[in-house]
Amino acid sequence: PLFESMAQLPGGDLDLMFNLRSAYDSTQVWIDGALVETLPANLPLQTYTSSVPVVASATVTAFARSFSGGTSFDSAVKSADVFPMAAPVASYVNSLDNSGDLPLDNTGFTWSTPAGFASAALHSSHDYANNAVYTSALMVPIIVTSTSVLTFDEVVIVEPGEPGSVFGDSDFWDYVMVEGSADGVSWQALAPGWDSRDDAAWLNAYNFNANGDDSLYQTRTISLNDTFTSGQTILLRWRLISDASVTGWGWAVDNIEVTGTVVTGADDTPRLVALAQNYPNPFNPSTTISFNLPRSGQVKLQVYDARGHLVRTLVDGRAAAGPHTEVWDGRDNSGRQSASGVYMYRLTAGELVQQKKMTLVK
């Protein structure tokens, strides 16, 4: 089997995509040395996706093992860094002032307060390096509404492109950009990349080899609706890309905010899927899970253990728009009582996926 991709989705799950190139007797999915799923025998040639929830930060290693006529065939082994994500939200605000509230996966960025700045913010290396790609991903999935707008404050002192060059030109040298992804694999620019020419004070600071400071902050506003449609759940990331020669001070990002309006109809039915925290939590022996649907459609509500194994399917079928409640009695699909511990419950409705944690105690 071919192991085509491995990525964490905006809903928080880790998706592994395999290309089954033969009608195998069976196929197993292994993650971190544990068997997590066995596919049925003689599946037709197809691409198969296995999804598991992420409950802890880790580097996950996985592969598929198929069997045919008593011989095993292993796919390539892939690894990915994964992180527990917060529940998707339509609105989000973070001043980046508190080190305990930094749901960011950083490569080349740090949370710091350099000289000239009164409060902490997200900073690239100062000065940044040649041939570098610095990335900071927000690990809070964003539900796009019909009025979703991203704003943040920034200071951009990077090598400007040649006069008249625009993003995408070969002489548009170093630049910064913000991207979004609906699948954790394909990323789309939310706006064309920009450099120090976007603000006269930034360009002047670059030309005089000056450092950034609070006086240089400018606010950037980007509509998410220009790239994504209402109802999609996406991830956001900030990136600085440099070429092989000449660098500058870098990039500072502060006061990240996403605003979005959740519209309700005359019957107060929410236009976005909303998964509530189970109650009671912790619980013994049972708990109630509530969710709202903006429209009728196919829905799954499933419970997973901390290792990503499916424990119980509570809903799998078509459901009407409006509020719903389901009770989990702490038993698996075979009727066996589950052990004490942390479990994940995941709601899938169309393209939207939401999940939360709950704790079973004895």
Side-chain angles (χ1 to χ4, degrees), residues 78-94:
K78 291 184 180 291
S79 296
D81 293 329
V82 297
F83 308 84
M85 292 191 187
V89 294
S91 298
Y92 177 77
V93 178
N94 196 328

Side-chain angles (χ1 to χ4, degrees), residues 194-208:
W194 60 96
D195 59 27
S196 294
R197 290 175 295 170
D198 245 36
D199 181 80
W202 296 346
L203 184 58
N204 186 66
Y206 175 81
N207 289 333
F208 285 90

Side-chain angles (χ1 to χ4, degrees), residues 288-306:
T288 299
I289 300 172
S290 301
F291 60 93
N292 279 295
L293 298 177
R295 60 185 67 84
S296 61
Q298 292 297 123
V299 174
K300 284 186 179 181
L301 180 61
Q302 297 172 302
V303 178
Y304 292 83
D305 65 19

Side-chain angles (χ1 to χ4, degrees), residues 97-121:
D97 290 339
N98 184 358
S99 62
D101 186 23
L102 296 174
L104 298 164
D105 174 25
N106 294 323
T107 302
F109 282 92
T110 59
W111 178 75
S112 58
T113 311
F117 290 84
S119 61

Side-chain angles (χ1 to χ4, degrees), residues 41-335:
N42 299 315
L43 286 175
L45 310 188
Q46 62 174 287
T47 297
Y48 181 83
T49 300
S50 180
S51 297
V52 295
V54 174
V55 297
S57 298
T59 299
V60 174
T61 300
F63 70 96
R65 174 173 291 157
S66 294
F67 297 88
S68 181
T71 302
S72 64
F73 302 89
D74 287 1
S75 73
V77 177
K78 291 184 180 291
S79 296
D81 293 329
V82 297
F83 308 84
M85 292 191 187
V89 294
S91 298
Y92 177 77
V93 178
N94 196 328
S95 67
L96 301 182
D97 290 339
N98 184 358
S99 62
D101 186 23
L102 296 174
L104 298 164
D105 174 25
N106 294 323
T107 302
F109 282 92
T110 59
W111 178 75
S112 58
T113 311
F117 290 84
S119 61
L122 186 65
H123 285 264
S124 71
S125 298
H126 301 315
D127 291 349
Y128 61 90
N130 287 319
N131 285 326
V133 178
Y134 297 155
T135 303
S136 181
L138 179 64
M139 306 308 289
V140 179
I142 301 298
I143 304 172
V144 179
T145 74
S146 59
T147 59
S148 290
V149 174
L150 167 67
T151 62
F152 57 92
D153 297 335
E154 62 174 347
V155 178
V156 181
I157 305 177
V158 301
E159 179 194 13
E162 294 300 320
S165 64
V166 296
F167 178 65
D169 290 348
S170 59
D171 54 358
F172 190 86
W173 307 126
D174 300 349
Y175 57 91
V176 299
M177 64 191 308
V178 181
E179 299 173 312
S181 175
D183 60 10
V185 178
S186 302
W187 292 85
Q188 301 179 63
L190 301 181
W194 60 96
D195 59 27
S196 294
R197 290 175 295 170
D198 245 36
D199 181 80
W202 296 346
L203 184 58
N204 186 66
Y206 175 81
N207 289 333
F208 285 90
N209 198 30
N211 294 335
D213 59 42
D214 278 334
S215 69
L216 295 176
Y217 269 127
Q218 296 292 335
T219 300
R220 185 165 299 272
T221 301
I222 300 175
S223 171
L224 301 185
N225 303 112
D226 293 342
T227 310
F228 297 98
T229 59
S230 180
Q232 286 186 288
T233 300
I234 66 170
L235 295 176
L236 298 174
R237 73 180 184 185
W238 286 254
R239 304 184 83 200
L240 185 158
I241 296 94
S242 64
D243 62 12
S245 61
V246 185
T247 65
W249 177 82
W251 196 15
V253 174
D254 201 4
N255 299 318
I256 297 170
E257 181 172 357
V258 177
T259 57
T261 303
V262 180
V263 181
T264 58
D267 58 355
D268 290 328
T269 300
R271 299 311 185 206
L272 293 174
V273 174
L275 178 63
Q277 186 64 51
N278 64 300
Y279 183 83
N281 187 44
F283 67 94
N284 179 25
S286 63
T287 189
T288 299
I289 300 172
S290 301
F291 60 93
N292 279 295
L293 298 177
R295 60 185 67 84
S296 61
Q298 292 297 123
V299 174
K300 284 186 179 181
L301 180 61
Q302 297 172 302
V303 178
Y304 292 83
D305 65 19
R307 298 187 67 180
H309 299 149
L310 176 63
V311 175
R312 180 75 174 270
T313 298
L314 299 173
V315 178
D316 186 4
R318 191 169 183 83
H324 296 262
T325 58
E326 296 291 333
V327 175
W328 183 42
D329 59 6
R331 298 184 180 274
D332 65 15
N333 282 327
S334 299

Side-chain angles (χ1 to χ4, degrees), residues 1-14:
L2 289 177
F3 196 168
E4 294 192 337
S5 65
M6 179 178 181
Q8 190 170 4
L9 300 181
D13 287 350
L14 178 66

